[in-house]
Amino acid sequence: MTERVTIHSEGLALSGVLHRSPGPRAIVLTGPFTGVKEQVTGLYAERLAAEGFTVLAFDHRGFGESEGRPQHEDSQGKLADLRAAVTLLADYRVALVGICLGGGYAMRAAAADPRVVAVAGIAGAYNSPRWFAERMGAATYRKSLADLIERYDEFLPAVSRDGEAAMPGEEPWSYYSAHPANWTNRVTRGSLHSLLTLDVLGVRPLLPPSLVVHGRRDDYCSPELAEAMAADQTVWLDGERHTDLYDVDPYVSAAVTSTAEFLRRF
């Protein structure tokens, strides 16, 4: 059974879709940067519900049909949204599952919320400011942050095939241009400051049982960081593109099967 639900997070109404299944286990999904529930999380919600879980897919604050500052990545706000989503499902044994950037948020949220019994990241972004600074150089990293703060409230395209964008290149363009429902192709520059300063690796010691499912090749979410997350179980897939784990079989099926098998243990 599928129903529309409203999640209340810090005074904001968030729009969600709940797939109910018999049994005690539930999953809260969180998805890619700028993504909405009609895209990646919607597909995973259907697939994981078919595996016997009650599953919630929702729009984080500022995106899709939810309230909040439009098209702005609010890291602390998104973590609050996940706490509110877990509260909505308080009668279940709740796990968090994140795809792409949601993988990092799922790990951060699970580390801080003892109600979460397990966590999984699929093609996840396990951001590390230290890792960014080491590869960019500390001076360049700090200058990038300063530039983003200076233009914090400006918008730029979320994706673009050729020009400047938060996620440039053919791969993100191909996915998002084909999945436009309730999605807007713009985001604040301040959102990129949130991404560059979000520390996911640092929460590793605080995690409940954890799973990482990741492509051996991924140009957008580093396999090196996925390995550094040092999850309790890691499953490597042989996809060619990051977005293969968004909506392409056999990769989605492999991710769903691995995640369902892992979460049934808790």
Side-chain angles (χ1 to χ4, degrees), residues 112-135:
D113 192 337
R115 300 173 298 173
V116 176
V117 300
V119 60
I122 299 169
Y126 307 109
N127 292 13
S128 166
R130 178 178 178 177
W131 190 86
F132 293 147
E134 286 174 350
R135 281 146 187 81

Side-chain angles (χ1 to χ4, degrees), residues 8-248:
H8 298 283
S9 177
E10 298 185 324
L12 299 174
L14 312 181
S15 176
V17 175
L18 184 64
H19 300 251
R20 289 194 185 272
S21 297
R25 294 181 176 87
I27 293 170
V28 173
L29 289 169
T30 178
F33 179 48
T34 77
V36 296
K37 64 185 180 305
E38 290 78 18
Q39 297 170 335
V40 180
T41 55
L43 174 61
Y44 273 87
E46 293 175 359
R47 297 291 297 271
L48 287 165
E51 294 284 340
F53 296 86
T54 289
V55 188
L56 174 63
F58 71 99
D59 292 329
H60 277 285
R61 62 182 63 195
F63 294 95
E65 297 178 305
S66 289
E67 296 178 348
R69 181 178 178 182
Q71 304 305 123
H72 178 68
E73 185 76 14
D74 176 355
S75 296
Q76 293 304 312
K78 289 183 82 168
L79 293 171
D81 296 346
L82 288 170
R83 289 194 298 273
V86 172
T87 298
L88 183 74
L89 298 176
D91 293 335
Y92 294 87
R93 294 178 59 80
V94 180
L96 298 182
V97 176
I99 305 98
C100 186
L101 184 60
Y105 279 114
M107 297 293 176
R108 280 288 302 261
D113 192 337
R115 300 173 298 173
V116 176
V117 300
V119 60
I122 299 169
Y126 307 109
N127 292 13
S128 166
R130 178 178 178 177
W131 190 86
F132 293 147
E134 286 174 350
R135 281 146 187 81
M136 297 170 65
T140 300
Y141 174 76
R142 290 180 63 80
K143 184 179 185 305
S144 295
L145 295 183
D147 291 344
L148 292 169
I149 290 171
E150 183 177 355
R151 304 173 68 183
Y152 196 87
D153 295 324
E154 293 181 11
F155 287 100
L156 77 164
V159 299
S160 174
R161 179 181 283 127
D162 302 312
E164 182 188 21
M167 298 178 285
E170 177 63 31
E171 185 176 338
W173 171 261
S174 294
Y175 176 79
Y176 285 101
S177 63
H179 297 79
N182 288 325
W183 180 78
T184 301
N185 187 17
R186 70 173 188 169
V187 68
T188 64
R189 292 184 185 273
S191 298
L192 301 181
H193 183 277
S194 291
L195 301 189
L196 285 173
T197 56
L198 179 68
D199 180 18
V200 177
L201 290 187
V203 306
R204 175 61 189 94
L206 305 175
L207 290 179
S210 58
L211 168 71
V212 160
V213 180
H214 210 87
R216 296 184 189 277
R217 177 176 176 178
D218 190 321
D219 293 335
Y220 288 86
C221 290
S222 166
E224 180 182 347
L225 287 174
E227 186 172 11
M229 197 69 222
D232 295 312
Q233 180 178 335
T234 300
V235 176
W236 294 100
L237 303 179
D238 290 322
E240 292 296 315
R241 293 154 52 102
H242 172 71
T243 54
D244 282 346
L245 276 77
Y246 282 16
D247 63 349
V248 177

